[in-house]
Amino acid sequence: MSIALEVILICLVAQAAVTDLALRKIPNVLVLSGLLLALMLHLLGGLHWAPLTHWMAGTLTGFFLFLPLYLLRGMAAGDVKLMAMVGSFVGPLMALEVAMLAALIGGVMGLLMLMFSGRWRDGWRNVAIICKPMLLRSLGVPLQAVPLAPGASVGGIPYGLAIALATMAVVALAHR
């Protein structure tokens, strides 16, 4: 990956993290700009269709890695789109690395947020409510899933920060 791609990517994910922390939202214009910049830089730096396929494969990999979490309402759409943008810069293999590291960082962030907010009991209650029907279904008991009450969430995680930290780490480790 070229230095220009890395610098622009780090600037974009840093902006996404700051915006996610401040507003709890990742702007579509930031993601769309990043996708277009990545496409242009890939096309300028490569031969024939190889950069386009690298860009497309990375975008789709990043998007589909976090799409199930969005569909299960465990992640916001902006986080999924941000991961697609990261994939468009780094390609499919590094997108997988970023996603795995972001999941670890996001898990640690979630645990820290539960610990500092004092809502451990609420969090464990929610996990039990979600997991009990799945466990009983795996034992053969026919049940319907029980959704959480609208106010039962113990809080959201600014996942843009986790994606940004993971992206910076993976890009930095690529230079060792």
Side-chain angles (χ1 to χ4, degrees), residues 18-156:
V18 168
T19 306
D20 199 16
L21 283 170
L23 305 174
R24 299 306 276 256
K25 187 175 175 97
I26 298 171
N28 286 333
V29 68
L30 179 74
V31 173
L32 185 58
S33 300
L35 285 167
L36 293 174
L37 277 168
L39 178 60
M40 288 188 303
L41 289 171
H42 278 300
L43 288 174
L44 290 173
L47 301 170
H48 305 295
W49 291 103
L52 182 62
T53 57
H54 186 73
W55 175 84
M56 181 63 76
T59 302
L60 292 174
T61 300
F63 180 76
F64 284 112
L65 282 171
F66 281 175
L67 183 64
L69 294 172
Y70 169 73
L71 294 175
L72 293 171
R73 297 183 184 170
M75 181 175 284
D79 302 322
V80 177
K81 292 181 278 188
L82 179 64
M83 191 60 219
M85 183 199 73
V86 169
S88 72
F89 276 90
V90 299
L93 294 176
M94 283 181 77
L96 182 61
E97 292 176 20
V98 170
M100 290 187 325
L101 187 55
L104 288 172
I105 293 170
V108 170
M109 284 173 48
L111 290 174
L112 289 172
M113 289 174 72
L114 274 177
M115 186 172 72
F116 287 116
S117 71
R119 300 195 65 190
W120 275 101
R121 286 191 180 117
D122 295 335
W124 283 114
R125 184 195 68 235
N126 289 350
V127 169
I129 289 171
I130 292 169
C131 291
K132 183 179 177 184
M134 290 188 298
L135 176 64
L136 290 174
R137 247 185 271 133
S138 70
L139 296 173
V141 179
L143 295 172
Q144 294 294 324
V146 179
L148 286 176
S153 175
V154 292

